Amino acid sequence: MPQRPKDLQPSRSARERLGAEIRHWRVLRGLSQDQLGALVHISGDLVSKLEKGQRTCKARYAADMDTALETGGAIARLLEPAQADVDNRARDVDNSPIWNASTPLGAWLGGTLEEPRSTSDWNEFSTMLRRNFLAAASAATGALLPLANASSATAVPATVRSADIDQINTAATTLRSWDNLYGGAGVVRDTARAQVQWAANLLSADCPSPLRGGLFTAVSGLAAAVGSSAFDAFAHEDAQRYFVFATLCAEEADNWPSRAVSYNLRSRHATWRGDPDTGLTLAELGLIRADRLSPAERSMLHNARARALAKMGKTQQALAAVGESDDSFAGMVPANEGPWMAYYDSAQHHGDTGHALFDLALLGHPPRSALMRLQTAVDTHTADYARSRTFSRTKLASLRMATGDPAEAVADGRIALAEAAQLRSLRAKHELDELRGLAQRHPELPDARDLREQISSMVTA
């Protein structure tokens, strides 16, 4: 028996009145939340939250729903008072004792306030954090990332110089290279923690105005790189903090490409952790003012959308997102892309889209395109991106194992196993464990059984 819809209370706030109006028109037109979401290019879960007044309705959503539901503008007319209601709540938050200079930031993030437990909680938390960002930075920015006993081995200069910013950029480039070659655990993670601690402390130093944007952009890039290492090492709470910090720094610098990179990472992290709805929201936040982003940056974020949509089982929307990613990638001129997008070449693009199509194939979509893209990624990744190549090869083996070519899957799996043994990557082990589970579908094959045993020995070591 279908569950009775929750009663709404439109008299309680303007935002809930707007939500009740959305539900009224949706029910009147005989649409489910998923059906309305598909018409206006958002998830059914987001429609549900808008109806309950749990999320703020954007002007674009209101306009699209007015069109789809033929309301004559009824939803958009309620948008302004609903937004005023949100602004009033925001002022209440601003006036609350979130942080003061007598409270160590480490305790503030991890003890004085209840620590956020989910990705969606972190989205709200990051808004509060940004309002206190500069005050916090001037008092004790080094504690902004509550790492266990992390300390800076090098004294922070009193005044920021161009050379200091260059040092942060070089550190970020080096860490990304190590991460791609070796994975995020071990020495890479330890080195990364010290580097970002020093860079965060630098935000409290005097900074000449012409250098300020470059400083915050550099710290954003370093935090994103360190977050990626933490993600690979399964230090998920640290990764989440680093990614949020990267977004805050990018926004403080008014750097839209850096902001896009951080939202891409946050989206992928949320989707990987089993929250694709939030992953989709974060990817779409990254695409705000897409006109300010390069083709590679737009392609990267559409890939993040595709992966979230695929995990949600929204086949047609995921395929459309892959198509948008392909279109953006086709317009890319490598010489015009920033150095932070150097990784996003044909191999990366085919691997990312192949990952999204992999999830669709497991749901029954024809696997041909996923197999072709993953094979292209495996064939064209250079040695500098050993981890990405291993991920794509493992996915390729898993898909072949799942779709009827176990002999070839075993051959790919053995190579992936040998490659993963050279990495310090818990995600690589996780991907292999998925392959082991799929290999159980072929108990009659000795080679598949042998591969399962080899993977078991590695992932439990």
Side-chain angles (χ1 to χ4, degrees), residues 307-354:
R307 293 176 78 162
L309 288 163
K311 286 293 187 185
M312 296 164 73
K314 297 183 180 295
T315 299
Q316 294 307 314
Q317 293 181 50
L319 291 173
V322 169
E324 290 180 273
S325 179
D326 286 343
D327 290 344
S328 294
F329 185 77
M332 187 181 81
V333 178
N336 295 339
E337 295 289 338
W340 53 89
M341 294 303 297
Y343 83 100
Y344 197 80
D345 56 9
S346 177
Q348 186 69 37
H349 175 72
H350 282 85
D352 280 352
T353 52

Side-chain angles (χ1 to χ4, degrees), residues 166-244:
D166 291 342
Q167 180 179 339
I168 296 171
N169 285 325
T170 299
T173 300
T174 301
L175 287 171
R176 281 193 293 267
S177 174
W178 288 356
D179 195 37
N180 287 321
L181 276 172
Y182 310 120
V187 68
V188 174
R189 178 160 159 71
D190 292 339
T191 303
R193 288 157 66 105
Q195 291 284 353
V196 79
Q197 188 77 23
W198 183 85
N201 283 332
L202 194 63
L203 297 180
S204 63
D206 290 335
C207 182
S209 294
L211 298 182
R212 190 174 183 280
L215 172 63
F216 277 89
T217 295
V219 176
S220 176
L222 180 60
V226 176
S228 296
S229 293
F231 178 12
D232 200 54
F234 282 14
H236 293 302
E237 298 307 317
D238 278 356
Q240 206 162 31
R241 286 186 171 93
Y242 287 124
F243 291 151
V244 170

Side-chain angles (χ1 to χ4, degrees), residues 406 440-449 452:
Q440 290 177 348
R441 299 182 182 184
H442 302 281
E444 75 287 357
L445 292 180
D447 285 347
R449 184 169 57 251
R452 291 201 312 272

Side-chain angles (χ1 to χ4, degrees), residues 41-47 49-50 54-56 58 60-61 119-120 123-124 259-260 262-268 270-271 275-288 301 304-309 312 317:
H41 309 295
I42 61 177
S43 69
D45 183 63
L46 180 53
V47 172
K49 289 175 180 176
L50 291 173
Q54 295 173 348
R55 288 286 183 90
T56 303
K58 297 179 182 179
R60 174 172 64 84
Y61 300 162
T119 304
S120 58
N123 295 336
E124 296 181 12
R259 179 183 178 278
S262 69
Y263 270 114
N264 170 64
L265 292 168
R266 291 171 68 180
S267 170
R268 291 166 187 268
T271 298
D275 188 4
D277 184 71
T278 296
L280 178 60
T281 299
L282 291 167
E284 291 182 345
L285 285 171
L287 281 163
I288 291 174
L301 285 162
R305 288 180 59 241
R307 293 176 78 162
L309 288 163
M312 296 164 73
Q317 293 181 50

Side-chain angles (χ1 to χ4, degrees), residues 68 104 115 147-148 153 161 186 210 247 250 285 294 303 335 338 366 381 391 458 460:
E115 183 173 302
L147 307 177
R161 305 161 300 170
T247 301
L285 285 171
S294 73
N303 269 327
H381 266 306
F391 285 167
M458 179 182 180
T460 58

Side-chain angles (χ1 to χ4, degrees), residues 19-77:
E21 189 76 10
I22 294 171
R23 178 180 288 183
H24 164 76
W25 285 99
R26 176 180 62 78
V27 173
L28 185 65
R29 301 304 183 205
L31 298 175
S32 69
Q33 291 171 339
D34 283 341
Q35 288 170 331
L36 176 57
L39 290 174
V40 298
H41 309 295
I42 61 177
S43 69
D45 183 63
L46 180 53
V47 172
S48 173
K49 289 175 180 176
L50 291 173
E51 290 183 355
K52 295 172 185 175
Q54 295 173 348
R55 288 286 183 90
T56 303
C57 186
K58 297 179 182 179
R60 174 172 64 84
Y61 300 162
D64 288 348
M65 284 189 282
D66 275 330
T67 299
L69 298 172
E70 300 179 355
T71 70
I75 295 173
R77 282 194 291 272

